[in-house]
Amino acid sequence: MEPINKYSEEELVVLLQRQDQQAFSYLYDNYAGALNNIIFRLVEDSALAEDILQEAFVKIWHNFNQYDQSKGRLFTWMLNLTRNLTIDVLRSKGYKKQTKISGDENSVNNIPDTSSTLLKFDSLGIRKQLANLKPEQRVIIDMAYFSGFTQDEIAKELGVPLGTVKTRMRTAILELRKMLQYN
């Protein structure tokens, strides 16, 4: 079994610029989940989300020389690349044609899959309840649950200590739980 590497963002960028495959595997292992969540929120189809994720990582690998550290963080660059790719897929004629065909074929059985965690999450009314949270709690919940950021990434992005992020997230979740119990 190979040792597990942990890279700083700067080390990772240098290795990726050298086309290091082990660094790319690390990149995939650590960012695929967050990017897949973002894609899924846009397409609401897990198979399509996985296809777009695969294509996004191929694009990241082939276009890594376009990443400029002075313009932003690595995750932000990958997020923008992935989101743009997803939007391109949704706007494509092939996708629109396929969804129209599958919608016509399955119109009798077109019942939403309620096993989807995203639909369950939305059915609870969480988005509406976020407005009742303090702004510093709302932004953390939004980044974590709707944008796929980890707590560590949230701390770095907001420039606050990790412990602060954890405390605000826990407090926000407890507040949301109370709100949902009374509704």
Side-chain angles (χ1 to χ4, degrees), residues 74-156:
L74 176 60
F75 181 74
T76 306
W77 178 76
M78 293 187 334
L79 173 69
N80 287 332
L81 186 143
T82 302
R83 187 177 19 210
N84 291 341
L85 179 63
T86 305
I87 291 168
D88 289 346
V89 168
L90 291 173
R91 289 180 179 165
S92 72
K93 288 182 182 179
Y95 175 77
K96 289 178 181 176
K97 187 176 185 180
Q98 182 60 37
T99 54
K100 183 173 179 168
I101 290 169
S102 64
D104 291 344
E105 288 175 353
N106 298 321
S107 61
V108 174
N109 299 321
N110 202 5
I111 300 170
D113 178 13
T114 56
S115 66
S116 166
T117 55
L118 186 62
L119 290 176
K120 285 182 182 177
F121 199 69
D122 265 356
S123 69
L124 293 174
I126 300 292
R127 277 264 189 214
K128 292 177 188 171
Q129 297 300 333
L130 285 179
N132 298 323
L133 293 175
K134 294 178 182 175
E136 63 271 9
Q137 294 171 336
R138 184 178 331 126
V139 71
I140 289 173
I141 295 294
D142 189 53
M143 289 176 79
Y145 292 99
F146 297 105
S147 297
F149 283 79
T150 65
Q151 290 178 338
D152 190 46
E153 291 168 338
I154 294 169
K156 288 176 184 170

Side-chain angles (χ1 to χ4, degrees), residues 6-130:
K6 181 162 174 65
Y7 302 106
S8 69
E9 185 169 318
E10 293 79 21
E11 293 169 331
L12 188 59
V13 168
V14 169
L15 290 170
L16 290 169
Q17 287 170 339
R18 294 180 190 156
Q19 299 282 301
D20 184 289
Q21 290 184 354
Q22 189 175 5
F24 188 72
S25 293
Y26 175 86
L27 183 78
Y28 184 87
D29 292 344
N30 286 283
Y31 292 98
L35 293 175
N36 193 48
N37 287 341
I38 291 161
I39 297 167
F40 183 77
R41 275 193 17 238
L42 294 170
V43 300
E44 296 179 353
D45 178 341
S46 58
L48 180 59
E50 289 173 13
D51 288 345
I52 293 171
L53 179 67
Q54 173 111 19
E55 192 175 335
F57 271 95
V58 168
K59 198 168 186 178
I60 289 166
W61 177 254
H62 289 295
N63 297 307
F64 198 78
N65 60 340
Q66 294 177 3
Y67 171 64
D68 182 358
Q69 283 181 294
S70 67
K71 292 184 180 178
R73 296 187 40 153
L74 176 60
F75 181 74
T76 306
W77 178 76
M78 293 187 334
L79 173 69
N80 287 332
L81 186 143
T82 302
R83 187 177 19 210
N84 291 341
L85 179 63
T86 305
I87 291 168
D88 289 346
V89 168
L90 291 173
R91 289 180 179 165
S92 72
K93 288 182 182 179
Y95 175 77
K96 289 178 181 176
K97 187 176 185 180
Q98 182 60 37
T99 54
K100 183 173 179 168
I101 290 169
S102 64
D104 291 344
E105 288 175 353
N106 298 321
S107 61
V108 174
N109 299 321
N110 202 5
I111 300 170
D113 178 13
T114 56
S115 66
S116 166
T117 55
L118 186 62
L119 290 176
K120 285 182 182 177
F121 199 69
D122 265 356
S123 69
L124 293 174
I126 300 292
R127 277 264 189 214
K128 292 177 188 171
Q129 297 300 333
L130 285 179

